[in-house]
Amino acid sequence: MQKTRTRAAGQTKFLLDESELPRRWYNIRSDMPTAPQPVLHPGTGQPVGPDDLAPLFPMELIGQEVSEDAEIAIPDEVLEIYSLWRPTPLFRARRLEEAIGTRSRIFYKYEGVSPPGSHKPNTAVAQAFYNKQEGRTRLSTETGAGQWGSALAFACKLIGLECKVYMVKISYEQKPNRRSLIQAWGAEIVASPSEETQSGRAILEEHPDSPGSLGIAISEAVEDAAGREDTAYSLGSVLNHVLMHQTVIGQEALAQMELAGAFPDVVIGCVGGGSNFAGLAFPFLREKIAGREIDVLACEPAACPTLTRGLFAYDFGDTSKLTPLVPMHTLGHDFVPAPIHAGGLRYHGVAPLISQLVRDGLIRAEAYLQNDVFASAVLFAGSEGILPAPEAAHAIHGTLQVAKAADEAGEERTILFNLSGHGHFDMAAYDNYFAGNLQDVALDEAEMSRALGAIEGLPTPA
Ligand SMILES: Cc1ncc(COP(=O)(O)O)c(C=O)c1O
């Protein structure tokens, strides 16, 4: 025991054997103090049922979306593909701790070791598997930063499905290499808004220079899937089943923190739709709900401050109002966030499970400006070596804020954050940062009230 502890004190990486890969996903719905409110049909105002969703999703995923079971078994075929990169490493960020001179201990779980470079394939593989099992031959989806599009392209390639990706135009232009990666895995890709769907054409008619947004790209991908028998729609975040698939991250991290002989006082992740944050945080929230004290912090951009400034309301998940009404923190479905470089965080809403947990006081949120976030990213790269994705850099920045506050208060924390992806395809963003060209955009009040006007008249959650 003494020997193990001595070794752990100097150890940097905490690794699990392939045989220790979690065999089940954790479903936080079974433990939530307040049940999430139902998703509503916009026409009837009634909760949506399986038949409403069947044109878009396979039955197994519709079942997972509403399941109250605490755990759901991961199919063997999915585990086999997970084993290409899972379990992922957990690091003690000793060099970062030294660089900032903190008394706190900082750990991070690194999801950038997956082939597409982020946490996204944890759900992409599962979704492709269930769709194939139920006879679909093609999937359509949207992508912001390109991480999700490349993850789904990768999963479809390995499972044997066709894939069509609508990529937010600003990212399509900023990240030609993500585009090529998506093509290398055999998917078809188009810039959104595109001329290929009614939703895309309508936006282009009104705003020919639209930089696109996740809300618009979702409209296009949903329209594509709804119009074809062979095609299902696949979403990379927000939905309950997507967040659940990501919980392999936190389950592994729990075991790895035990190897390190530590337990986090603070768990941190960046939030776009909420999937990587949930993946790390939900297994720890299970402990918090059971009585353990943990501060759980969600980090978002000031340009798209969904959790810190949005309303908890029923809203559409997409811009063209094709999806059901979702109870979530939202900035309004027609809000187009400024074209900041963390493309994966440019979404007007957030997962209903996270929204409810924020309302219940189990999660808190902060918003940051992008130049501060990039400064933290560069500090991290200079000490730990890994160049983070701009999205993940929000979690790094949050971690540095928490460590600083603890030091100022003369306290010591054990902090765990999710490094959701690497930034090797985000070099244009780093180029802009180094050239001093990044704009700091905080959403202004006038635009926020305008955008929130779009949800007036929609049902109000209890
Ligand atoms: C590396 C990375 N982290 C985080 C996100 C945000 O998504 P989510 O909130 O679903 O984890 C993205 C989305 O594209 C991403 O690529």
Side-chain angles (χ1 to χ4, degrees), residues 118-120 145 147 237 270-276 344-345 389 391 420-421:
S118 78
H119 63 293
K120 298 281 182 182
Q147 289 271 20
S237 192
C270 69
V271 173
S275 73
N276 87 89
L345 306 185
E391 292 82 6
S420 53

Side-chain angles (χ1 to χ4, degrees), residues 345-396:
L345 306 185
R346 293 179 68 237
Y347 183 57
H348 68 272
V350 70
L353 291 178
I354 292 176
S355 289
Q356 187 59 52
L357 291 161
V358 167
R359 282 188 102 200
D360 287 346
L362 287 158
I363 298 172
R364 69 186 178 96
E366 289 183 353
Y368 310 124
L369 293 168
Q370 65 174 346
N371 276 298
D372 295 339
V373 167
F374 273 85
S376 295
V378 170
L379 173 63
F380 182 81
S383 47
E384 294 297 313
I386 299 169
L387 188 82
E391 292 82 6
H394 286 72
I396 297 173

Side-chain angles (χ1 to χ4, degrees), residues 303 338-341 369-371 374 432-433 436-442:
I340 53 161
H341 276 281
L369 293 168
Q370 65 174 346
N371 276 298
F374 273 85
N432 276 319
Y433 172 67
N437 292 338
L438 283 193
Q439 307 279 329
D440 270 335
V441 204

Side-chain angles (χ1 to χ4, degrees), residues 26-28 30-33 71 250-251 253-255 257-258 262-265 267 280-296 357 362 416:
Y26 165 57
N27 182 11
I28 201 166
S30 63
D31 289 321
M32 284 170 71
E71 294 184 335
Q251 292 182 65
L254 270 168
M257 289 301 290
E258 204 172 318
F263 192 86
D265 304 308
V267 172
L280 179 67
F282 282 6
F284 287 92
L285 278 164
R286 186 184 210 173
E287 305 284 320
K288 181 168 178 166
I289 292 165
R292 251 182 134 143
E293 215 171 284
I294 315 174
D295 176 21
V296 182
L357 291 161
L362 287 158
L416 169 64

